[in-house]
Amino acid sequence: MLENKQTAGADLTNLPRHIAIIMDGNGRWAKKRGLPRTAGHAAGAETFRRVATWCRDIGLEYLTVYAFSTENWHRPEAEVQTILGLLEKYLHEAIERMERDRVRMRFFGDTSVLSPKLQKLIAETDAISRRLDGCQVNVCVNYGGRDEILRAAALYAQSGEPMPPTEESFSRFLWSADVPDPDLLIRPGGEYRLSNFLLWQAAYAELYFTDTLWPDFDEQEMCRAIAAYQRRERRYGRIAT
């Protein structure tokens, strides 16, 4: 655990409000070690648990992670089942610890296609979260940014809301309704794309890319990303002052 208020150039007393992470590189991490891809996902799940705990400890308000995309269903069945099995394991642990740790959870994505067991666990975490204050971890499962926008457009059209919509009125129909947009979006793994993640919400997020594979990502890497964010001037299309 990193306890310094200034670490890797990051001021941990002046955090972004919301950090989003594309957890990329599990398969390549495993391949480099001669292990099956499923071993990489298991290692990545442990990294998520550690990073989420650290984010809570330093006082971050919101953390959003890309756990399973709408495109991930095209991966080999064994790999898909491993990812969903790890999610089930994590949810069992979270339900036991959420109230003690003061961590809320929310899920973005179409969870209706998940197993009844997973849906029940997600419903339990939702119920517990409504009783809590504190850090909120948003987990994107069966999530795609384009799918989210199309779904929101259909729901808005059916709602009877005035046309045309405003950004504010439209955003209430996104899975992320009532959650502030991410300030910082981090992608480990050496790729330089958003991969259909938070396309609406990340319009003005600061992007940070690193070659570090997700299972090797740690608190020090988080501090480097936060430090890079803190060195930037966020202008939102305006002229620099």
Side-chain angles (χ1 to χ4, degrees), residues 1-12:
M1 183 65 61
L2 296 173
E3 297 180 353
N4 294 339
K5 294 301 182 183
Q6 284 284 138
T7 309
D11 179 1
L12 300 187

Side-chain angles (χ1 to χ4, degrees), residues 1 48-58 63 97 101:
M1 183 65 61
F48 163 64
R49 180 181 287 103
R50 187 180 68 250
V51 167
T53 299
W54 183 76
C55 286
R56 178 210 65 191
D57 290 346
I58 65 172
L63 173 69
R97 297 163 47 183
D101 294 345

Side-chain angles (χ1 to χ4, degrees), residues 73-84:
W73 294 107
H74 301 298
R75 295 187 176 190
E77 178 66 18
E79 184 173 346
V80 169
Q81 292 308 313
T82 293
I83 295 170
L84 297 179

Side-chain angles (χ1 to χ4, degrees), residues 23 26 29 38-49 86 214-215:
M23 302 186 294
N26 293 338
W29 182 90
T38 51
H41 292 301
E46 290 303 314
T47 298
F48 163 64
R49 180 181 287 103
L86 289 166
W214 175 246

